[in-house]
Amino acid sequence: MKSPVVKRSIVIAGHKTSVSLEDGFWKSLKEIAGERDMTLSELVASIDSDRRHGNLSSAIRLFVLDHYRSQITQEDIGERPVTHELMTAGAAS
């Protein structure tokens, strides 16, 4: 059985390194880089420089998870005032 984790090489901060990630994380990472108008190497270098501990693969997974979690939180915050306004408007009628 083939492992879903794939090792890829990437150049960050001028040196080549290997990172092992599942395809879903690679696709998400590329998507996030595109949204931020960055290259994949630039985004990974940023993640690498911000990590406090653990390996780069783990730091990338946590970064992707945090990215999507923050999107959900922002959507929730954006929806709350509308829902509250609708409830308030309905109660005033």
Side-chain angles (χ1 to χ4, degrees):
M1 179 181 217
K2 187 177 176 183
S3 171
V5 177
V6 178
K7 183 182 270 191
R8 293 178 173 89
S9 294
I10 188 166
V11 177
I12 55 170
H15 69 278
K16 191 174 182 179
T17 190
S18 294
V19 180
S20 297
L21 289 173
E22 295 79 3
D23 272 339
F25 283 103
W26 277 114
K27 289 176 185 175
S28 295
L29 196 60
K30 288 177 184 179
E31 186 177 288
I32 295 166
E35 289 171 4
R36 296 181 179 199
D37 198 28
M38 300 172 80
T39 66
L40 189 59
S41 292
E42 289 169 338
L43 182 57
V44 173
S46 173
I47 295 167
D48 187 37
S49 67
D50 290 344
R51 73 182 159 123
R52 304 291 178 243
H53 46 67
N55 63 42
L56 182 55
S57 296
S58 294
I60 291 170
R61 286 185 188 95
L62 292 172
F63 171 83
V64 170
L65 177 64
D66 185 59
H67 174 80
Y68 289 114
R69 276 186 172 168
S70 70
Q71 281 187 342
I72 292 168
T73 302
Q74 288 170 2
E75 288 173 8
D76 287 346
I77 291 169
E79 289 175 10
R80 284 188 190 137
V82 172
T83 303
H84 178 69
E85 288 170 11
L86 289 174
M87 289 172 58
T88 305
S93 300

